[in-house]
Amino acid sequence: MQVTATEFKLNLGKYLELVLNEDVWITKNGKTVAKLINPNVSAVDAISGVLSGKVSPNLDRHALREERLSRYESHD
């Protein structure tokens, strides 16, 4: 969610509640000046949520590594 600095200051409690479910981007004069995040969510969980449905469920880290290595070896 994106919110202006003024709106954030006026409704701090509201955004402290919202940050439990989503990140809050704070803007000033149209530029992002801060990002409010939930410190209790691990970075891995956050990234996993973003990637959900975009990566085939049958891939594992070993298969991805092999794919990367095969691309590198083909450039030799």
Side-chain angles (χ1 to χ4, degrees):
M1 165 176 278
Q2 186 172 326
V3 62
T4 65
T6 303
E7 172 68 18
F8 180 75
K9 286 189 273 186
L10 293 174
N11 296 299
L12 178 62
K14 172 183 172 182
Y15 296 106
L16 290 178
E17 297 263 338
L18 282 174
V19 78
L20 296 175
N21 300 315
E22 62 181 300
D23 293 344
V24 178
W25 299 79
I26 303 167
T27 63
K28 187 172 186 177
N29 298 324
K31 296 181 182 178
T32 301
V33 294
K35 179 181 177 185
L36 186 63
I37 61 168
N38 184 339
N40 298 318
V41 175
S42 76
V44 172
D45 291 342
I47 291 172
S48 297
V50 169
L51 296 176
S52 176
K54 295 182 178 153
V55 176
S56 177
N58 61 349
L59 289 179
D60 63 6
R61 68 185 183 108
H62 299 292
L64 293 172
R65 181 178 183 273
E66 290 301 321
E67 181 182 338
R68 283 194 318 271
L69 289 175
S70 69
R71 279 193 237 147
Y72 177 73
E73 291 169 355
S74 68
H75 290 268
D76 289 339

